[in-house]
Structure formats: structure tokens, C-alpha cells
Amino acid sequence: MTEPRYDVIAIGNAIVDVMAPATDDLIEELQLNRGGMTLVDAERAKELYDAMGPAREISGGSAANTLAGLSALGAQCAFIGQVSNDQLGEVFAHDIRAVGIDFDTAPRQGEPSTARCLIFVTPDAQRTMNTFLGASQFLPAEALDEEAIGGARVLYLEGYLWDPEEPRAAMRRAIEAARNAGREVAFTLSEVFVIDRHGDDFRALIDDGLIDILFANHLELAALTGEDDLEAGIAALKDKVPTLVVTRSSDGAVATRNGERAEVAAEPIDQVVDTTGAGDLFAAGFLYGHVNGEPLQKCLRRGAIAACEIISHYGARTEANLKALMDEKLG
């Protein structure tokens, strides 16, 4: 097998986060779900964007956030995701490339426009999010760079993107390309509602031995296995998935790998500011350790450190020097 070109290549939603300060009166006037996340259509997205004040725009999306964390640690990464040929598509492409991630997916012509999450931040730092999935739902299998997929140690797939039909087909093809090249496939379950809709697909992938690394939080594990008890859920999967990683919020995380088990406590933190992206960055830390052949316990610790950094501030991209932070904590 040839030496991999990438440590991790990921497929996920290509979303631009558009963040702007807002008054409580504006939240009420726009009838927003204060502090929550709402899916919106193109018309509503335009209405909300027009109502925003000066905004900060940065590329986002679950898998892209994970790659940004990996790149900050020094990993070589590439991203596959669909944007449109518009201004926000250019923002996404610029931002993800600027953090050292290769991104070569051709933009889609015409409607719908690039996905965006419109985030209104009130004076109390509450984030009200409105997401338009747009072009990200139309990633075709033809957009895949199968040579790049075969040249990555790990193919990382975002469960959120399993919902639309076109990218689901693309991810199935990507799995085949990775397996044919003898590479590992990692999958993050993303959210319980995704499992409610596609759990049979995920269980079939696991039963067929197509998933090498599975990331889940404790609620997703219960939804996938039908076991409310954590240990029962782990027992149901540990012999089917070579590496299983289960996060438990403030209770830390547990992982199994080829019969070995390790646990880690959550990193101490003075104040949890925003949990957005915590799971994404946990995956980044863990995968960095994994592709570098580190012990299971150390992989988990890297995940916990990365998650702690991300919840200490607003936004799903790191603000501290993540590599220096890990070097300090891990010695």
C-alpha cells in the first residue's frame, strides 16, 4: 500500500456561519426561536439575512469543523462538500483552504445557494440559529475524488449528510472507494433525529463491517442500539466496530478498540460558554491520535482537551493554539 497523501479526508455539509449581534427586540420582531436552531427555506433565509446587521462569516459544518481541528494539530486533510457558485460559496472555500485543508469540489451552478447558518447573538451571548441547507444537500457521486479518498488514512463521514438522497449515494460510493484502497472508514452519527430516519442503514453498514471507527454520544448510542443502559449499548457494538468512541458530555468519554477499553474524564473548565462543535472537536483530537498510532487512552485525552477548548468560547472553531495546548497538557 502506498503512503497516504492525507491523514483524513471528510465528506460533510459545506455551511457558512453568518453571525451578527442582535437586540432582543429584533429577535421578537423576526419571531425567531430564541436560543434554538431552526431549519429555514431559501425565502426565509434571505429575509433573515437582509434583517441582520454587520456580520462575521466563517465556514462551518460538522465534518469541516473536525478537519479544522485536525489541521490545527498538524494533520494533512481534505474536504469534499457542495457549495454553490456564489459569494458564500467563495467564503466557504477561502476559509477552509486558509486553515490548510484541501478543498477541490467544483461549485454548483444556479439554485439553491450555498448553505448558511444565520446566527443572531443577543447581548446576553445567547445564539439563535437559523439554518438553510441549500446546495450542501446536492453533492453528486460524480464530485468525488476517488483517488484522494483512496489516498487518505481515514475517510470521515458526517451523519447529517446521510439524510438527502444525492449525498447519501455519494457517501456509499466513497465507502467503497476507501475499502477498495484498504483505508479506514470513520462515521459520526451526528444527531438522534438522523438515527431515527436512517438507523437501519447505519446498522446495516456496521453489520456488513464497513465502519471501522464509530463516533456517538450516549443518546445516539441508545437510539442506534435500542439500549438505554450505556454498558449494554457498548456491548451491543464493541465486537462489530473495531473502534467505538462514545462521548458523555460532562461525564467524559469511553472507547473500545479491538478488545481494549479506555475511559477519560471531561477536562476541567471554569465556565462552559457554548457547546456548539464540542463533538466535532472531540473527534478531531481522537482522530489525530489515532492516525499517529497513539494509545487509546491518549486518543481519548486529546479528544477531551479539544472539546474543552471549544466550549470555553463562542463558535465551533478553536481560538487557542490547539497543538501547544495539547503539548502542555500531555507533556
Side-chain angles (χ1 to χ4, degrees):
M1 186 183 299
T2 59
E3 187 65 20
R5 175 183 175 189
Y6 296 113
D7 293 303
V8 179
I9 189 168
I11 302 177
N13 279 309
I15 299 177
V16 176
D17 291 337
V18 182
M19 186 180 302
T23 63
D24 290 317
D25 288 343
L26 182 61
I27 299 294
E28 184 176 346
E29 177 187 335
L30 295 173
Q31 298 181 318
L32 300 179
N33 175 24
R34 193 179 194 282
M37 195 284 283
T38 305
L39 289 176
V40 297
D41 61 17
E43 183 179 352
R44 178 64 166 163
K46 183 179 186 309
E47 176 190 351
L48 296 180
Y49 186 65
D50 289 345
M52 290 182 111
R56 175 185 174 211
E57 299 170 343
I58 185 169
S59 63
S62 175
N65 290 337
T66 295
L67 290 189
L70 276 159
S71 184
L73 290 170
Q76 297 298 307
C77 302
F79 180 74
I80 299 171
Q82 190 65 67
V83 297
S84 186
N85 186 24
D86 57 17
Q87 181 182 356
L88 287 183
E90 292 176 2
V91 168
F92 182 90
H94 173 270
D95 280 0
I96 200 164
R97 290 168 182 154
V99 295
I101 298 166
D102 285 353
F103 175 61
D104 298 318
T105 310
R108 191 174 188 270
Q109 302 300 314
E111 296 296 332
S113 56
T114 297
R116 80 284 316 256
C117 182
L118 306 170
I119 305 169
F120 294 77
V121 185
T122 43
D124 61 355
Q126 186 76 257
R127 290 153 52 94
T128 299
M129 298 180 286
N130 303 269
T131 304
F132 170 61
L133 292 173
S136 68
Q137 300 179 92
F138 296 95
L139 175 72
E142 294 73 26
L144 299 179
D145 183 340
E146 295 191 26
E147 183 179 351
I149 291 169
R153 295 180 190 276
V154 176
L155 167 68
Y156 181 72
L157 302 174
E158 177 185 322
Y160 284 125
L161 202 56
W162 199 265
D163 203 43
E165 181 178 353
E166 201 165 9
R168 182 165 66 246
M171 286 195 284
R172 286 191 183 278
R173 184 161 158 182
I175 290 171
E176 183 179 359
R179 305 299 294 188
N180 288 342
R183 305 305 188 184
E184 290 185 299
V185 176
F187 196 97
T188 177
L189 291 171
S190 292
E191 185 61 72
V192 168
F193 83 83
V194 180
I195 301 167
D196 290 341
R197 291 171 61 89
H198 302 288
D200 287 345
D201 276 357
F202 300 159
R203 286 183 281 269
L205 291 173
I206 291 167
D207 290 342
D208 291 342
L210 298 178
I211 304 299
D212 300 290
I213 307 167
L214 182 68
F215 290 94
N217 65 31
H218 62 290
L219 297 176
E220 294 157 4
L221 180 71
L224 185 69
T225 63
E227 300 284 357
D228 290 332
D229 178 73
L230 177 73
E231 294 302 326
I234 292 171
L237 290 181
K238 67 181 181 64
D239 295 327
K240 295 181 178 181
V241 180
T243 301
L244 172 65
V245 184
V246 182
T247 57
R248 300 180 293 166
S249 189
S250 60
D251 292 325
V254 57
T256 60
R257 183 163 68 192
N258 299 324
E260 178 190 1
R261 178 183 171 120
E263 297 186 38
V264 67
E267 288 289 301
I269 185 171
D270 292 334
Q271 181 182 7
V272 176
V273 176
D274 177 13
T275 59
T276 305
D280 303 336
L281 268 293
F282 191 100
F286 185 93
L287 284 171
Y288 181 79
H290 179 81
V291 299
N292 285 285
E294 294 182 346
L296 189 61
Q297 181 74 30
K298 190 171 183 179
C299 293
L300 280 177
R301 185 79 196 285
R302 285 191 183 277
I305 293 168
C308 182
E309 194 285 332
I310 215 68
I311 65 176
S312 68
H313 57 78
Y314 286 100
R317 296 293 174 88
T318 58
E319 293 184 355
N321 183 322
L322 197 55
K323 189 175 189 308
L325 181 63
M326 288 197 182
D327 289 345
E328 175 189 340
K329 289 182 173 288
L330 295 173

PDB file of all heavy atoms in Angstrom, residues 22 38 56 58 63 66 77 82-83 92 102 104 107 111 115 122 160-161 185 190 194 217 226 236 242 247 260 317 322:
ATOM      1  N   ALA A  22     -27.515  41.146  17.730  1.00  0.00           N
ATOM      2  CA  ALA A  22     -28.933  41.471  17.535  1.00  0.00           C
ATOM      3  C   ALA A  22     -29.543  41.883  18.865  1.00  0.00           C
ATOM      4  O   ALA A  22     -29.123  41.428  19.932  1.00  0.00           O
ATOM      5  CB  ALA A  22     -29.681  40.268  16.972  1.00  0.00           C
ATOM      6  N   THR A  38     -33.331  26.433  14.035  1.00  0.00           N
ATOM      7  CA  THR A  38     -34.487  26.191  13.183  1.00  0.00           C
ATOM      8  C   THR A  38     -34.026  26.035  11.734  1.00  0.00           C
ATOM      9  O   THR A  38     -33.210  26.823  11.251  1.00  0.00           O
ATOM     10  CB  THR A  38     -35.471  27.382  13.265  1.00  0.00           C
ATOM     11  OG1 THR A  38     -35.822  27.605  14.635  1.00  0.00           O
ATOM     12  CG2 THR A  38     -36.716  27.102  12.444  1.00  0.00           C
ATOM     13  N   ARG A  56     -20.222  38.596  10.716  1.00  0.00           N
ATOM     14  CA  ARG A  56     -18.958  37.873  10.565  1.00  0.00           C
ATOM     15  C   ARG A  56     -19.280  36.536   9.903  1.00  0.00           C
ATOM     16  O   ARG A  56     -20.195  35.839  10.329  1.00  0.00           O
ATOM     17  CB  ARG A  56     -18.331  37.656  11.939  1.00  0.00           C
ATOM     18  CG  ARG A  56     -17.067  36.811  11.941  1.00  0.00           C
ATOM     19  CD  ARG A  56     -16.617  36.567  13.371  1.00  0.00           C
ATOM     20  NE  ARG A  56     -15.485  35.652  13.419  1.00  0.00           N
ATOM     21  CZ  ARG A  56     -15.271  34.821  14.429  1.00  0.00           C
ATOM     22  NH1 ARG A  56     -16.122  34.768  15.430  1.00  0.00           N
ATOM     23  NH2 ARG A  56     -14.213  34.025  14.418  1.00  0.00           N
ATOM     24  N   ILE A  58     -17.877  32.754   8.494  1.00  0.00           N
ATOM     25  CA  ILE A  58     -16.795  31.774   8.579  1.00  0.00           C
ATOM     26  C   ILE A  58     -17.345  30.414   8.185  1.00  0.00           C
ATOM     27  O   ILE A  58     -18.501  30.082   8.488  1.00  0.00           O
ATOM     28  CB  ILE A  58     -16.190  31.729  10.002  1.00  0.00           C
ATOM     29  CG1 ILE A  58     -14.979  30.796  10.042  1.00  0.00           C
ATOM     30  CG2 ILE A  58     -17.224  31.327  11.035  1.00  0.00           C
ATOM     31  CD1 ILE A  58     -14.173  30.900  11.327  1.00  0.00           C
ATOM     32  N   ALA A  63     -18.349  18.122   9.852  1.00  0.00           N
ATOM     33  CA  ALA A  63     -17.119  17.476   9.399  1.00  0.00           C
ATOM     34  C   ALA A  63     -16.026  18.496   9.114  1.00  0.00           C
ATOM     35  O   ALA A  63     -14.843  18.263   9.395  1.00  0.00           O
ATOM     36  CB  ALA A  63     -17.386  16.626   8.166  1.00  0.00           C
ATOM     37  N   THR A  66     -14.376  19.427  12.283  1.00  0.00           N
ATOM     38  CA  THR A  66     -13.446  18.375  12.716  1.00  0.00           C
ATOM     39  C   THR A  66     -12.125  18.493  11.973  1.00  0.00           C
ATOM     40  O   THR A  66     -11.043  18.414  12.564  1.00  0.00           O
ATOM     41  CB  THR A  66     -14.066  16.985  12.492  1.00  0.00           C
ATOM     42  OG1 THR A  66     -15.217  16.845  13.332  1.00  0.00           O
ATOM     43  CG2 THR A  66     -13.078  15.881  12.832  1.00  0.00           C
ATOM     44  N   CYS A  77      -5.243  17.213   5.648  1.00  0.00           N
ATOM     45  CA  CYS A  77      -6.666  16.923   5.485  1.00  0.00           C
ATOM     46  C   CYS A  77      -7.217  17.448   4.162  1.00  0.00           C
ATOM     47  O   CYS A  77      -6.678  18.387   3.580  1.00  0.00           O
ATOM     48  CB  CYS A  77      -7.473  17.555   6.630  1.00  0.00           C
ATOM     49  SG  CYS A  77      -6.986  17.019   8.274  1.00  0.00           S
ATOM     50  N   GLN A  82     -20.467  20.303  -0.997  1.00  0.00           N
ATOM     51  CA  GLN A  82     -21.021  21.076  -2.116  1.00  0.00           C
ATOM     52  C   GLN A  82     -21.386  22.497  -1.722  1.00  0.00           C
ATOM     53  O   GLN A  82     -22.169  22.715  -0.799  1.00  0.00           O
ATOM     54  CB  GLN A  82     -22.264  20.384  -2.666  1.00  0.00           C
ATOM     55  CG  GLN A  82     -22.775  20.964  -3.969  1.00  0.00           C
ATOM     56  CD  GLN A  82     -21.771  20.774  -5.097  1.00  0.00           C
ATOM     57  OE1 GLN A  82     -21.509  19.654  -5.508  1.00  0.00           O
ATOM     58  NE2 GLN A  82     -21.214  21.867  -5.601  1.00  0.00           N
ATOM     59  N   VAL A  83     -20.795  23.452  -2.440  1.00  0.00           N
ATOM     60  CA  VAL A  83     -21.221  24.841  -2.338  1.00  0.00           C
ATOM     61  C   VAL A  83     -21.791  25.259  -3.686  1.00  0.00           C
ATOM     62  O   VAL A  83     -21.691  24.541  -4.675  1.00  0.00           O
ATOM     63  CB  VAL A  83     -20.060  25.788  -1.945  1.00  0.00           C
ATOM     64  CG1 VAL A  83     -19.520  25.436  -0.574  1.00  0.00           C
ATOM     65  CG2 VAL A  83     -18.944  25.750  -2.995  1.00  0.00           C
ATOM     66  N   PHE A  92     -16.779  30.071   1.930  1.00  0.00           N
ATOM     67  CA  PHE A  92     -16.503  28.740   2.469  1.00  0.00           C
ATOM     68  C   PHE A  92     -15.174  28.208   1.937  1.00  0.00           C
ATOM     69  O   PHE A  92     -14.327  27.733   2.694  1.00  0.00           O
ATOM     70  CB  PHE A  92     -17.627  27.759   2.112  1.00  0.00           C
ATOM     71  CG  PHE A  92     -17.398  26.383   2.683  1.00  0.00           C
ATOM     72  CD1 PHE A  92     -17.885  26.059   3.940  1.00  0.00           C
ATOM     73  CD2 PHE A  92     -16.669  25.419   1.987  1.00  0.00           C
ATOM     74  CE1 PHE A  92     -17.648  24.807   4.490  1.00  0.00           C
ATOM     75  CE2 PHE A  92     -16.414  24.173   2.527  1.00  0.00           C
ATOM     76  CZ  PHE A  92     -16.914  23.863   3.777  1.00  0.00           C
ATOM     77  N   ASP A 102      -7.286  20.951   1.992  1.00  0.00           N
ATOM     78  CA  ASP A 102      -7.523  20.911   0.554  1.00  0.00           C
ATOM     79  C   ASP A 102      -9.022  20.800   0.283  1.00  0.00           C
ATOM     80  O   ASP A 102      -9.712  19.971   0.887  1.00  0.00           O
ATOM     81  CB  ASP A 102      -6.802  19.726  -0.090  1.00  0.00           C
ATOM     82  CG  ASP A 102      -5.303  19.954  -0.220  1.00  0.00           C
ATOM     83  OD1 ASP A 102      -4.850  21.079   0.067  1.00  0.00           O
ATOM     84  OD2 ASP A 102      -4.594  19.008  -0.597  1.00  0.00           O
ATOM     85  N   ASP A 104     -11.422  20.855  -3.222  1.00  0.00           N
ATOM     86  CA  ASP A 104     -11.423  20.966  -4.675  1.00  0.00           C
ATOM     87  C   ASP A 104     -12.779  20.645  -5.306  1.00  0.00           C
ATOM     88  O   ASP A 104     -12.870  20.544  -6.532  1.00  0.00           O
ATOM     89  CB  ASP A 104     -10.368  20.016  -5.271  1.00  0.00           C
ATOM     90  CG  ASP A 104      -8.960  20.383  -4.813  1.00  0.00           C
ATOM     91  OD1 ASP A 104      -8.638  21.589  -4.785  1.00  0.00           O
ATOM     92  OD2 ASP A 104      -8.189  19.462  -4.470  1.00  0.00           O
ATOM     93  N   PRO A 107     -17.899  24.141  -7.540  1.00  0.00           N
ATOM     94  CA  PRO A 107     -19.159  24.752  -7.102  1.00  0.00           C
ATOM     95  C   PRO A 107     -20.306  24.381  -8.035  1.00  0.00           C
ATOM     96  O   PRO A 107     -20.103  24.171  -9.234  1.00  0.00           O
ATOM     97  CB  PRO A 107     -18.858  26.249  -7.133  1.00  0.00           C
ATOM     98  CG  PRO A 107     -17.717  26.400  -8.078  1.00  0.00           C
ATOM     99  CD  PRO A 107     -16.908  25.158  -7.962  1.00  0.00           C
ATOM    100  N   GLU A 111     -29.402  27.688  -8.571  1.00  0.00           N
ATOM    101  CA  GLU A 111     -30.009  27.479  -7.253  1.00  0.00           C
ATOM    102  C   GLU A 111     -29.985  25.994  -6.884  1.00  0.00           C
ATOM    103  O   GLU A 111     -29.940  25.133  -7.755  1.00  0.00           O
ATOM    104  CB  GLU A 111     -31.458  27.982  -7.289  1.00  0.00           C
ATOM    105  CG  GLU A 111     -31.582  29.477  -7.521  1.00  0.00           C
ATOM    106  CD  GLU A 111     -30.994  30.313  -6.397  1.00  0.00           C
ATOM    107  OE1 GLU A 111     -30.982  29.815  -5.253  1.00  0.00           O
ATOM    108  OE2 GLU A 111     -30.547  31.419  -6.657  1.00  0.00           O
ATOM    109  N   ALA A 115     -25.236  26.737   1.469  1.00  0.00           N
ATOM    110  CA  ALA A 115     -25.842  26.582   2.797  1.00  0.00           C
ATOM    111  C   ALA A 115     -25.292  27.627   3.751  1.00  0.00           C
ATOM    112  O   ALA A 115     -24.113  27.989   3.690  1.00  0.00           O
ATOM    113  CB  ALA A 115     -25.578  25.181   3.340  1.00  0.00           C
ATOM    114  N   THR A 122     -27.588  37.815  20.887  1.00  0.00           N
ATOM    115  CA  THR A 122     -28.162  38.866  21.729  1.00  0.00           C
ATOM    116  C   THR A 122     -27.156  39.310  22.796  1.00  0.00           C
ATOM    117  O   THR A 122     -26.141  38.648  23.013  1.00  0.00           O
ATOM    118  CB  THR A 122     -29.461  38.366  22.367  1.00  0.00           C
ATOM    119  OG1 THR A 122     -29.281  37.023  22.840  1.00  0.00           O
ATOM    120  CG2 THR A 122     -30.601  38.379  21.367  1.00  0.00           C
ATOM    121  N   TYR A 160     -25.124  13.781   9.391  1.00  0.00           N
ATOM    122  CA  TYR A 160     -26.122  14.757   8.945  1.00  0.00           C
ATOM    123  C   TYR A 160     -26.365  14.661   7.440  1.00  0.00           C
ATOM    124  O   TYR A 160     -27.475  14.844   6.954  1.00  0.00           O
ATOM    125  CB  TYR A 160     -25.651  16.184   9.257  1.00  0.00           C
ATOM    126  CG  TYR A 160     -25.765  16.620  10.682  1.00  0.00           C
ATOM    127  CD1 TYR A 160     -24.653  17.109  11.356  1.00  0.00           C
ATOM    128  CD2 TYR A 160     -26.980  16.580  11.363  1.00  0.00           C
ATOM    129  CE1 TYR A 160     -24.746  17.542  12.674  1.00  0.00           C
ATOM    130  CE2 TYR A 160     -27.084  17.005  12.680  1.00  0.00           C
ATOM    131  CZ  TYR A 160     -25.966  17.483  13.332  1.00  0.00           C
ATOM    132  OH  TYR A 160     -26.059  17.906  14.626  1.00  0.00           O
ATOM    133  N   LEU A 161     -25.308  14.388   6.681  1.00  0.00           N
ATOM    134  CA  LEU A 161     -25.397  14.416   5.223  1.00  0.00           C
ATOM    135  C   LEU A 161     -25.997  13.129   4.654  1.00  0.00           C
ATOM    136  O   LEU A 161     -26.188  13.018   3.447  1.00  0.00           O
ATOM    137  CB  LEU A 161     -24.005  14.671   4.626  1.00  0.00           C
ATOM    138  CG  LEU A 161     -23.949  15.234   3.204  1.00  0.00           C
ATOM    139  CD1 LEU A 161     -24.730  16.532   3.087  1.00  0.00           C
ATOM    140  CD2 LEU A 161     -22.512  15.436   2.756  1.00  0.00           C
ATOM    141  N   VAL A 185     -12.698   3.604   7.471  1.00  0.00           N
ATOM    142  CA  VAL A 185     -13.882   4.461   7.338  1.00  0.00           C
ATOM    143  C   VAL A 185     -14.368   4.824   8.740  1.00  0.00           C
ATOM    144  O   VAL A 185     -14.649   3.946   9.561  1.00  0.00           O
ATOM    145  CB  VAL A 185     -15.005   3.761   6.558  1.00  0.00           C
ATOM    146  CG1 VAL A 185     -16.256   4.648   6.524  1.00  0.00           C
ATOM    147  CG2 VAL A 185     -14.549   3.428   5.142  1.00  0.00           C
ATOM    148  N   SER A 190     -23.919  12.017  14.411  1.00  0.00           N
ATOM    149  CA  SER A 190     -24.381  13.417  14.310  1.00  0.00           C
ATOM    150  C   SER A 190     -25.528  13.794  15.232  1.00  0.00           C
ATOM    151  O   SER A 190     -25.434  14.742  15.996  1.00  0.00           O
ATOM    152  CB  SER A 190     -24.761  13.766  12.862  1.00  0.00           C
ATOM    153  OG  SER A 190     -23.625  13.778  12.039  1.00  0.00           O
ATOM    154  N   VAL A 194     -31.276  11.902  13.038  1.00  0.00           N
ATOM    155  CA  VAL A 194     -30.706  11.237  11.862  1.00  0.00           C
ATOM    156  C   VAL A 194     -30.825   9.718  12.018  1.00  0.00           C
ATOM    157  O   VAL A 194     -31.153   8.996  11.070  1.00  0.00           O
ATOM    158  CB  VAL A 194     -29.235  11.646  11.672  1.00  0.00           C
ATOM    159  CG1 VAL A 194     -28.649  10.958  10.436  1.00  0.00           C
ATOM    160  CG2 VAL A 194     -29.107  13.158  11.531  1.00  0.00           C
ATOM    161  N   ASN A 217     -22.574  10.039  20.729  1.00  0.00           N
ATOM    162  CA  ASN A 217     -22.742  10.411  22.131  1.00  0.00           C
ATOM    163  C   ASN A 217     -23.666   9.383  22.776  1.00  0.00           C
ATOM    164  O   ASN A 217     -24.196   8.486  22.109  1.00  0.00           O
ATOM    165  CB  ASN A 217     -23.221  11.855  22.291  1.00  0.00           C
ATOM    166  CG  ASN A 217     -24.612  12.093  21.720  1.00  0.00           C
ATOM    167  OD1 ASN A 217     -25.474  11.203  21.699  1.00  0.00           O
ATOM    168  ND2 ASN A 217     -24.862  13.311  21.257  1.00  0.00           N
ATOM    169  N   GLY A 226     -30.937   0.663  20.753  1.00  0.00           N
ATOM    170  CA  GLY A 226     -32.154   0.353  21.488  1.00  0.00           C
ATOM    171  C   GLY A 226     -31.890   0.062  22.952  1.00  0.00           C
ATOM    172  O   GLY A 226     -32.786  -0.376  23.673  1.00  0.00           O
ATOM    173  N   ALA A 236     -23.322  -4.009  22.743  1.00  0.00           N
ATOM    174  CA  ALA A 236     -24.002  -4.366  21.501  1.00  0.00           C
ATOM    175  C   ALA A 236     -23.164  -4.051  20.261  1.00  0.00           C
ATOM    176  O   ALA A 236     -23.376  -4.649  19.195  1.00  0.00           O
ATOM    177  CB  ALA A 236     -25.342  -3.634  21.413  1.00  0.00           C
ATOM    178  N   PRO A 242     -14.490  -2.022  14.958  1.00  0.00           N
ATOM    179  CA  PRO A 242     -13.130  -2.108  15.514  1.00  0.00           C
ATOM    180  C   PRO A 242     -12.811  -1.027  16.537  1.00  0.00           C
ATOM    181  O   PRO A 242     -12.174  -1.291  17.548  1.00  0.00           O
ATOM    182  CB  PRO A 242     -12.240  -1.985  14.271  1.00  0.00           C
ATOM    183  CG  PRO A 242     -13.079  -2.544  13.163  1.00  0.00           C
ATOM    184  CD  PRO A 242     -14.492  -2.123  13.488  1.00  0.00           C
ATOM    185  N   THR A 247     -19.051   9.608  23.602  1.00  0.00           N
ATOM    186  CA  THR A 247     -18.895  10.765  24.475  1.00  0.00           C
ATOM    187  C   THR A 247     -20.109  10.886  25.388  1.00  0.00           C
ATOM    188  O   THR A 247     -21.220  10.516  25.015  1.00  0.00           O
ATOM    189  CB  THR A 247     -18.719  12.059  23.655  1.00  0.00           C
ATOM    190  OG1 THR A 247     -19.841  12.215  22.776  1.00  0.00           O
ATOM    191  CG2 THR A 247     -17.439  12.002  22.835  1.00  0.00           C
ATOM    192  N   GLU A 260      -9.752  -3.761  23.590  1.00  0.00           N
ATOM    193  CA  GLU A 260      -9.236  -2.875  24.630  1.00  0.00           C
ATOM    194  C   GLU A 260     -10.289  -1.825  24.962  1.00  0.00           C
ATOM    195  O   GLU A 260     -11.085  -1.436  24.117  1.00  0.00           O
ATOM    196  CB  GLU A 260      -7.966  -2.186  24.125  1.00  0.00           C
ATOM    197  CG  GLU A 260      -7.358  -1.211  25.107  1.00  0.00           C
ATOM    198  CD  GLU A 260      -6.239  -0.371  24.504  1.00  0.00           C
ATOM    199  OE1 GLU A 260      -5.949  -0.549  23.299  1.00  0.00           O
ATOM    200  OE2 GLU A 260      -5.684   0.472  25.225  1.00  0.00           O
ATOM    201  N   ARG A 317     -14.916  26.911  16.038  1.00  0.00           N
ATOM    202  CA  ARG A 317     -13.528  26.864  15.595  1.00  0.00           C
ATOM    203  C   ARG A 317     -12.620  27.290  16.756  1.00  0.00           C
ATOM    204  O   ARG A 317     -12.955  28.209  17.503  1.00  0.00           O
ATOM    205  CB  ARG A 317     -13.307  27.764  14.373  1.00  0.00           C
ATOM    206  CG  ARG A 317     -14.081  27.310  13.129  1.00  0.00           C
ATOM    207  CD  ARG A 317     -13.569  25.974  12.601  1.00  0.00           C
ATOM    208  NE  ARG A 317     -14.372  25.446  11.520  1.00  0.00           N
ATOM    209  CZ  ARG A 317     -14.181  25.727  10.234  1.00  0.00           C
ATOM    210  NH1 ARG A 317     -13.237  26.565   9.892  1.00  0.00           N
ATOM    211  NH2 ARG A 317     -14.949  25.172   9.320  1.00  0.00           N
ATOM    212  N   LEU A 322      -4.168  25.001  19.489  1.00  0.00           N
ATOM    213  CA  LEU A 322      -4.578  23.677  19.961  1.00  0.00           C
ATOM    214  C   LEU A 322      -3.380  22.746  20.134  1.00  0.00           C
ATOM    215  O   LEU A 322      -3.322  21.973  21.094  1.00  0.00           O
ATOM    216  CB  LEU A 322      -5.584  23.081  18.975  1.00  0.00           C
ATOM    217  CG  LEU A 322      -6.423  21.891  19.478  1.00  0.00           C
ATOM    218  CD1 LEU A 322      -7.164  22.260  20.759  1.00  0.00           C
ATOM    219  CD2 LEU A 322      -7.412  21.455  18.382  1.00  0.00           C
TER     220      LEU A 322
END
